[in-house]
Amino acid sequence: MAKLILSMDGLVLKEILLTKERTSIGRKASNDIQIDNLAISGEHAAVVTILNDSFLEDLNSTNGTLVNSQPVKKHFLKNGDVIELGKYKLKYVAEPSQQADAPDFEKTMLLRPGTMKQAAATSPEALAKAYNDAQTGQISPPAPAASPATTAPKAIILGAIQILSGANAGREMELTKTLTTLGKPGVQVAVIAKRPHGYFITHVEGAQFPSINGQLIDAQARQLNDHDVVEIAGIKMEFFLKN
């Protein structure tokens, strides 16, 4: 399990295990990691963890967020990365097996008012592990010798979204990446994760949660079904599976 090590001037203050999907950092007491310093914004940053991978988002803080001395807005965290918030540092430590083969960032899409643009996002192939099988503990029985093909895993059908409202209504995007980020930073952001058994949406940022078919989702990952209508940051889109 990954963790953050909080320190100041070389002195370790505490260690925080990343057990939640979203770990908030800021000056306010309501944060998961509270840093009571005027250089830190009330809600400064957040670390979002999906399965074995985490990425950092700066929440439009006043003084900004650095990773390895470089200013960032969104950053996929690799083992040993150092997050800098004023005089405080948070070192990200992950188990070696978690990110040994993590590739560079993949491309994803952000929906902004009146426009649609490509933005850098994170997405190691580790997210494609058979997570649901491990949780349920189900074991498939061996197939008869005459039909060995029945044991082969069923390939996931490619998913896509079509924008239903706004300036980009009618535009379609295939969900080929392991992680696709949607929304408006600072207002509402969600992530669609491509897993071996389907597509799952998770709320990342914003006081209001996304809705599916008019019903608000909660903080847990929610599986998307064919023709679900999702609304994020005021934009409606339809999720569908391509034949």
Side-chain angles (χ1 to χ4, degrees):
M1 180 179 296
K3 64 182 177 180
L4 294 173
I5 302 175
L6 176 65
S7 65
M8 184 181 70
D9 297 330
L11 177 65
V12 174
L13 302 177
K14 65 187 303 186
E15 294 187 3
I16 305 97
L17 293 176
L18 296 176
T19 58
K20 301 174 62 176
E21 284 190 351
R22 185 178 189 275
T23 302
S24 59
I25 308 167
R27 193 176 68 253
K28 292 181 179 179
S30 57
N31 287 285
D32 299 302
I33 303 175
Q34 183 190 15
I35 302 177
D36 191 8
N37 186 284
L38 292 178
I40 311 299
S41 297
E43 295 177 352
H44 196 103
V47 175
V48 177
T49 301
I50 301 177
L51 301 186
N52 291 329
D53 303 286
S54 301
F55 62 90
L56 171 75
E57 285 194 271
D58 179 84
L59 302 180
N60 296 318
S61 62
T62 301
N63 294 318
T65 302
L66 304 180
V67 175
N68 303 330
S69 302
Q70 298 297 318
V72 300
K73 283 296 183 183
K74 179 182 288 187
H75 177 81
F76 174 73
L77 290 168
K78 296 182 176 65
N79 185 42
D81 278 350
V82 177
I83 304 166
E84 301 174 47
L85 308 171
K87 295 182 179 180
Y88 293 83
K89 294 183 178 181
L90 285 160
K91 184 176 182 179
Y92 177 75
V93 179
E95 294 179 5
S97 61
Q98 287 186 203
Q99 297 185 334
D101 301 316
D104 292 335
F105 289 3
E106 293 182 345
K107 293 293 182 179
T108 187
M109 186 164 288
L110 293 177
L111 303 176
R112 300 179 186 274
T115 187
M116 211 169 184
K117 62 185 293 187
Q118 292 292 329
T122 97
S123 183
E125 291 303 324
L127 285 178
K129 291 179 181 179
Y131 176 71
N132 290 342
D133 283 350
Q135 282 195 320
T136 60
Q138 294 179 351
I139 301 176
S140 300
S147 55
T150 58
T151 60
K154 185 179 180 181
I156 183 173
I157 300 175
L158 179 64
I161 57 172
Q162 184 176 40
I163 309 303
L164 301 179
S165 63
N168 293 286
R171 187 167 181 176
E172 181 181 311
M173 179 178 67
E174 293 184 347
L175 300 173
T176 58
K177 308 303 180 183
T178 311
L179 276 184
T180 302
T181 304
L182 301 168
K184 179 183 176 185
V187 177
Q188 191 178 59
V189 176
V191 170
I192 295 179
K194 181 183 178 183
R195 299 182 185 174
H197 301 288
Y199 290 84
F200 294 76
I201 185 170
T202 305
H203 175 70
V204 173
E205 177 188 346
Q208 179 112 10
F209 283 64
S211 67
I212 298 178
N213 302 325
Q215 299 295 318
L216 293 178
I217 66 173
D218 56 23
Q220 301 301 314
R222 167 82 174 269
Q223 185 168 11
L224 290 170
N225 297 313
D226 196 20
H227 299 300
D228 275 348
V229 175
V230 181
E231 183 171 351
I232 304 172
I235 301 295
K236 288 186 177 181
M237 60 199 78
E238 181 182 359
F239 170 82
F240 62 95
L241 298 173
K242 305 192 76 171
N243 295 326

